């Protein structure tokens, strides 16, 4: 059982470019989340989805968009990357929205 | 404003001794709390949880204590082992919310 997979593992991106981080879970969890981890700031929620077809904004949504076309996939898109979006991005899922979350291995993104 | 705080960025403990990691929160509506453990280059993994109807939850070497009046929780690891060396995050959620709020993490080093 893979759990949650994220791709790519790492990426260096020029500022202004568009980038989509992929996240797939095989646990049939209803809820999925995107976090960014920055030194001294912990994990901050970017966007979430309670169930397929719905999305919501977290603490730091600006500059990011998400979609949830099906249960398994929850891609995160940076329409025009900026250096402040350099971070480690974690995708997570949970059976329901307030249940224990299970995290993917992360994507390390550097925007130059 | 950080609703969940871990005021100790790092902690060093001798192998076999007790590790105590602390977490404070500001929102009295939080009623479910979790601890996650994170190794470098991996996603956080769930460790232990506690709901506000309890003041203690134990799982093997790990015990979480909740003091609702002080808005404080702590994670005790006894006895500490070198493999426990990791970053520990506490997280909290309320029954009316859609998200968990994470602390900034405490890096635990267990010295052999």
């Amino acid at each position: 059982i893979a759990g949650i997979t994220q791709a790519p593992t790492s990426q260096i991106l020029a500022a202004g470019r568009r980038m989509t981080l992929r996240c797939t879970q095989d646990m049939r969890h209803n809820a999925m989340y995107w976090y960014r981890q920055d030194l001294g700031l912990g994990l901050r929620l970017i966007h979430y989805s309670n169930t397929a077809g719905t999305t919501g904004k977290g603490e730091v949504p600006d500059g990011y968009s998400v979609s949830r076309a099906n249960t398994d996939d929850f891609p995160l898109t940076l329409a025009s990357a900026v250096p402040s979006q350099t971070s480690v991005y974690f995708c997570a899922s949970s059976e329901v929205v307030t249940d224990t979350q299970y995290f993917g291995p992360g994507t390390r993104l550097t925007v130059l | 404003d950080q609703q969940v705080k871990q005021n100790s960025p790092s902690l060093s403990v001798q192998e076999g001794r007790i590790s105590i990691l602390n977490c404070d929160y500001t929102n009295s509506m939080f009623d479910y709390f979790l601890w996650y453990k994170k190794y470098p280059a991996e996603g956080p993994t769930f460790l232990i949880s506690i709901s506000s109807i309890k003041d203690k939850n134990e799982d093997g070497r790990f015990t979480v204590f909740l003091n609702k009046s002080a808005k404080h929780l702590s994670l005790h690891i006894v006895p500490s082992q070198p493999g426990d060396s990791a970053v520990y995050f506490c997280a909290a959620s309320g029954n009316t919310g859609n998200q968990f709020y994470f602390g900034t993490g405490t890096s635990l080093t267990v010295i052999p």
Side-chain angles (χ1 to χ4, degrees):
Chain A
I1 296 174
I4 298 183
T5 58
Q6 292 185 236
T9 303
S10 66
Q11 181 76 45
I12 298 174
L13 190 66
R17 298 298 294 268
R18 180 184 179 89
M19 176 73 191
T20 295
L21 308 185
R22 299 184 298 279
C23 174
T24 300
Q25 53 108 354
D26 63 3
M27 298 175 281
R28 308 302 293 171
H29 282 172
N30 288 303
M32 297 187 75
Y33 315 83
W34 274 104
Y35 291 89
R36 57 178 290 174
Q37 183 195 5
D38 302 290
L39 198 62
L41 295 174
L43 290 157
R44 293 181 294 168
L45 183 66
I46 304 170
H47 284 288
Y48 65 91
S49 169
N50 291 345
T51 189
T54 69
T55 62
K57 294 181 179 180
E59 273 181 89
V60 288
D62 294 343
Y64 306 95
S65 63
V66 291
S67 61
R68 186 89 185 276
N70 58 60
T71 297
D72 299 343
D73 301 298
F74 192 42
L76 176 74
T77 298
L78 290 68
S80 178
V82 295
S84 61
Q85 292 177 311
T86 294
S87 187
V88 181
Y89 291 85
F90 290 102
C91 180
S93 72
S94 62
E95 203 162 325
V96 293
V97 69
T98 54
D99 203 359
T100 302
Q101 297 177 11
Y102 297 88
F103 285 80
T107 293
R108 182 174 292 277
L109 181 68
T110 302
V111 182
L112 302 175
Chain B
D1 190 29
Q2 197 81 20
Q3 297 195 52
V4 178
K5 299 178 184 178
Q6 293 176 257
N7 292 318
S8 298
S10 62
L11 175 68
S12 289
V13 171
Q14 208 70 33
E15 180 179 4
R17 305 294 291 269
I18 184 171
S19 295
I20 300 176
L21 296 95
N22 293 304
C23 180
D24 297 291
Y25 60 96
T26 57
N27 190 338
S28 57
M29 297 301 292
F30 288 154
D31 60 0
Y32 186 53
F33 306 88
L34 304 93
W35 284 94
Y36 283 86
K37 176 180 181 178
K38 185 185 178 304
Y39 292 118
E42 294 184 11
T45 55
F46 169 72
L47 195 56
I48 193 168
S49 64
I50 189 167
S51 76
S52 59
I53 62 172
K54 301 174 78 170
D55 54 18
K56 176 183 173 182
N57 190 24
E58 203 168 343
D59 183 2
R61 295 186 297 114
F62 303 91
T63 303
V64 55
F65 295 91
L66 176 63
N67 183 333
K68 292 184 287 295
S69 60
K71 296 194 185 67
H72 176 84
L73 65 156
S74 61
L75 174 68
H76 293 210
I77 306 173
V78 182
S80 301
Q81 298 173 354
D84 296 330
S85 297
V87 177
Y88 290 79
F89 291 98
C90 65
S93 76
N95 59 8
T96 59
N98 284 308
Q99 67 178 77
F100 280 96
Y101 293 87
F102 282 80
T104 51
T106 296
S107 178
L108 173 66
T109 302
V110 180
I111 304 162

